[in-house]
């Protein structure tokens, strides 16, 4: 089976290839020569994921999936949410985004947050959403050098390390993206099983 992962994020594609069975070939946007900006104008994480998958399916004709992930902080009424990548501005500067979150949470004791990933799969006539959530706490300073995005300030519940202090293997055992991809993979495995009969 061959699918396009409608993402320009090399780190996400690397994670996906580790998480998804080798029986499934994952193509990147670069592989299909899709270089334009894909619109993300929905006000929900699920809506953005579906919008990106629709764009690739309709314009390039590939079965595809797309994810959207947001950091939702309780004390900030769910922000940054759908604006996670551009919380500090449209230039999508990770360091600036982290610093804005830390500034906004300054002197706030409630540090509860969650990462939520929605994956939209379009396969022929089917459109399905898979969701993964991990809850945790926002630190007051960065820790660790791995991962990307808000990983250096997020400690998942039950752990004392940030995502950035974990190896990719460790992170992939419990992350929001891993949970959503597991659901996607289970579905694709079942589909392949039925398709081969």
């Amino acid at each position: 089976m061959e699918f396009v992962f409608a993402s320009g994020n090399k780190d996400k594609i690397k994670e996906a290839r580790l998480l998804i069975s080798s029986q499934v070939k994952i193509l990147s946007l670069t592989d299909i020569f899709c270089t334009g900006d894909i619109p993300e104008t929905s006000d929900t994480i699920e809506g953005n994921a579906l919008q990106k998958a629709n764009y690739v399916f309709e314009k390039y004709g590939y079965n595809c999936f797309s994810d959207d992930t947001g950091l939702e902080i309780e004390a900030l009424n769910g922000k940054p949410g759908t604006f996670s990548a551009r919380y500090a501005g449209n230039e999508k500067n990770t360091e600036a985004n982290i610093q804005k979150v830390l500034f906004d949470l300054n002197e706030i004791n409630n540090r509860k947050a969650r990462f939520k990933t929605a994956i939209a799969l379009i396969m022929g006539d089917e459109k399905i959403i898979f969701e993964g959530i991990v809850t945790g706490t926002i630190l007051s300073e960065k820790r660790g050098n791995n991962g990307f995005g808000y990983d250096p300030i997020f400690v998942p519940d039950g752990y004392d390390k940030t995502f950035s202090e974990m190896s990719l293997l460790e992170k992939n055992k419990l992350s929001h993206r891993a949970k959503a991809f597991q659901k996607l993979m289970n579905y694709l495995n079942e589909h392949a099983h039925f398709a081969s009969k």
Side-chain angles (χ1 to χ4, degrees), residues 73-80 87 101 104-105 108:
I73 299 170
E74 194 173 282
L76 302 180
N77 299 314
K79 290 180 182 173
Y87 191 44
V101 163
D104 289 350
L105 286 177
I108 292 177

Side-chain angles (χ1 to χ4, degrees), residues 5 7-16 18-19 67-71 84-85 92-95 97-98 115 117 142-154 162-168 171-172 175-178 181:
F5 182 9
S7 173
N9 185 318
K10 289 177 183 174
D11 291 310
K12 281 188 184 182
I13 291 165
K14 184 179 171 185
E15 274 190 16
L18 284 172
L19 291 165
D67 83 318
D68 196 42
T69 294
L71 175 65
S84 291
K92 298 184 179 181
N93 183 305
T94 297
E95 182 60 28
N97 289 337
I98 287 173
F115 271 121
T117 290
K142 296 196 306 178
R143 287 196 338 224
N145 301 307
N146 299 324
F148 56 95
Y150 296 95
D151 286 357
I153 57 170
F154 184 86
T162 66
F163 273 155
S164 277
E165 292 175 298
M166 296 179 183
S167 68
L168 193 51
K171 182 185 171 186
N172 278 348
S175 80
H176 44 294
R177 193 169 290 109
F181 268 110

Side-chain angles (χ1 to χ4, degrees), residues 119-192:
I119 296 176
L121 170 69
I122 299 182
M123 189 163 60
D125 296 332
E126 294 183 82
K127 292 183 182 182
I128 306 163
I129 303 275
F130 304 94
E131 188 178 86
I133 290 171
V134 63
T135 57
T137 305
I138 301 294
L139 298 179
S140 55
E141 59 184 18
K142 296 196 306 178
R143 287 196 338 224
N145 301 307
N146 299 324
F148 56 95
Y150 296 95
D151 286 357
I153 57 170
F154 184 86
V155 176
D157 287 342
Y159 292 81
D160 57 6
K161 292 197 284 191
T162 66
F163 273 155
S164 277
E165 292 175 298
M166 296 179 183
S167 68
L168 193 51
L169 203 61
E170 280 180 287
K171 182 185 171 186
N172 278 348
K173 285 180 182 172
L174 66 126
S175 80
H176 44 294
R177 193 169 290 109
K179 289 177 182 179
F181 268 110
Q182 189 57 57
K183 291 175 185 176
L184 169 69
M185 196 60 238
N186 290 344
Y187 182 83
L188 292 180
N189 282 340
E190 280 177 33
H191 184 87

